[in-house]
Amino acid sequence: MKTIKRMMDHLYWADGRILDAIEENEIKNKDLLKLVRHIAVAERVWLSRLQGRGAAHYSLWEEAEDLLTIRTMFEENAEQYRIYIEGIEESDLDEIIDYANQSGVPFQTSVRDILLQVLLHGQYHRGQINRALRIEAAEPVQVDYITFARL
């Protein structure tokens, strides 16, 4: 649990750094904002599944609202993930969750693998966002785990 908690703390930190970079550089690129929103919604979808709630009503690839709305989603996600993780034990990580993907296809996945998916999915897309920042003539933001660990 200690490693997953630490990695989740990195996720919250990295999400915030990406949002700050977009805001500070006044990025208005709709595709980039759509990708940032996608990360927030995906985090929420997986949390809903972990909590035994449906997630079919979430749309993963909608146009982004304003950056403040996206930031609020990330903050709410972080709060809810903290509550969820504080409420589980190491043995709960092997519990199998039944859920359907956004197309309605049923799956079974362990809590551990779902949490790892959330962590790795966000990191993958933050790399894409950093590349897009460079294309927008903005400086990419350091979001590597080691940078977080050195704080």
Side-chain angles (χ1 to χ4, degrees), residues 5 32 58 64 76 86 118 136:
K5 285 180 182 179
L32 179 57
Y58 291 111
E76 290 170 355
E86 286 304 316
V118 171
E136 294 283 328

Side-chain angles (χ1 to χ4, degrees), residues 63-131:
E63 288 292 320
E65 300 89 12
D66 61 282
L67 192 58
L68 180 59
T69 302
I70 297 169
R71 185 180 293 276
T72 300
M73 287 176 63
F74 276 114
E75 290 169 356
E76 290 170 355
N77 289 347
E79 179 182 339
Q80 291 302 308
Y81 270 104
R82 283 185 179 107
I83 292 167
Y84 175 80
I85 289 172
E86 286 304 316
I88 64 173
E89 302 292 328
E90 180 77 28
S91 60
D92 295 326
L93 294 174
D94 295 320
E95 177 187 346
I96 299 299
I97 303 293
D98 292 307
Y99 63 94
N101 69 7
Q102 297 309 99
S103 300
V105 178
F107 287 96
Q108 295 182 322
T109 307
S110 71
V111 169
R112 180 185 322 273
D113 286 339
I114 289 172
L115 290 172
L116 289 173
Q117 166 61 22
V118 171
L119 293 161
L120 296 172
H121 176 261
Q123 193 65 1
Y124 170 76
H125 286 308
R126 283 188 294 273
Q128 292 177 317
I129 292 165
N130 263 333
R131 184 174 185 277

Side-chain angles (χ1 to χ4, degrees), residues 9-19 123 126 141 143:
D9 286 341
H10 168 259
L11 176 135
Y12 313 140
W13 171 84
D15 285 346
R17 301 231 339 147
I18 286 290
L19 290 168
Q123 193 65 1
R126 283 188 294 273
V141 63
V143 291

